Amino acid sequence: MCIFCKIVNKEVSNNTVHESEHFLAFHDLYPKAPIHVLIIPKQHVDCFQNVSGETMSALTEFTQEVATKIGVDKTGYRLITNNGDDGGQEVNHLHFHLLGGGKLPWDHSHEDSLKSL
Ligand code: AMP
Ligand code: ZN
């Protein structure tokens, strides 16, 4: 069983932000921004490439609720999912990183190489 399934099953503790029948949002253990929340479907699906549109539709609404609950709905936030090896996915249970709590840096280091394409 994967680590996030163990969190859903309460075998591993978590710091819950918001919960519904189908989704869970909890604080990332190693935050990369002042606010760093992970949003997951309770049912295991390995990555974004394999998630259904139906789940994503419901996950959109849940994510908006999370943003409102933690107070970043007006100030803004960033939503990221790392998909597969090249995307840098480390936990193979679909999750969205919700980052916020201040102006977030954006890496422009690839722009010069893109111009030459
Ligand atoms: P990713 O690299 O996109 O797969 O992201 C995995 C994220 O899960 C990382 O940001 C980790 O810090 C986070 N993480 C791993 N284990 C836990 C855990 N037990 N509780 C909370 N966050 C975790
Ligand atoms: Zn899982």
Side-chain angles (χ1 to χ4, degrees):
M1 191 188 288
C2 88
I3 180 80
F4 287 176
C5 281
K6 285 182 180 165
I7 285 177
V8 170
N9 284 348
K10 301 190 191 314
E11 290 169 37
V12 169
S13 65
N14 77 96
N15 189 355
T16 298
V17 170
H18 193 42
E19 185 168 9
S20 72
E21 186 185 351
H22 298 296
F23 304 106
L24 180 67
F26 53 97
H27 289 285
D28 196 292
L29 212 47
Y30 307 101
K32 287 129 193 116
I35 293 172
H36 187 172
V37 171
L38 298 175
I39 298 168
I40 67 169
K42 288 184 175 176
Q43 191 173 356
H44 183 92
V45 53
D46 61 347
C47 65
F48 180 77
Q49 189 61 30
N50 295 325
V51 71
S52 71
E54 193 185 6
T55 297
M56 282 308 302
S57 174
L59 189 54
T60 297
E61 206 166 313
F62 181 80
T63 301
Q64 291 163 347
E65 287 171 15
V66 171
T68 303
K69 194 163 182 180
I70 61 180
V72 297
D73 54 318
K74 303 280 192 302
T75 50
Y77 55 90
R78 185 171 295 156
L79 208 53
I80 296 172
T81 188
N82 296 324
N83 188 97
D85 280 349
D86 281 2
Q89 183 175 3
E90 288 181 352
V91 175
N92 292 318
H93 180 132
L94 175 67
H95 53 282
F96 285 82
H97 300 257
L98 193 160
L99 304 163
K103 286 270 182 210
L104 299 168
W106 186 252
D107 180 5
H108 293 263
S109 61
H110 296 291
E111 284 177 3
D112 285 344
S113 54
L114 286 173
K115 275 180 203 149
S116 63
L117 292 176

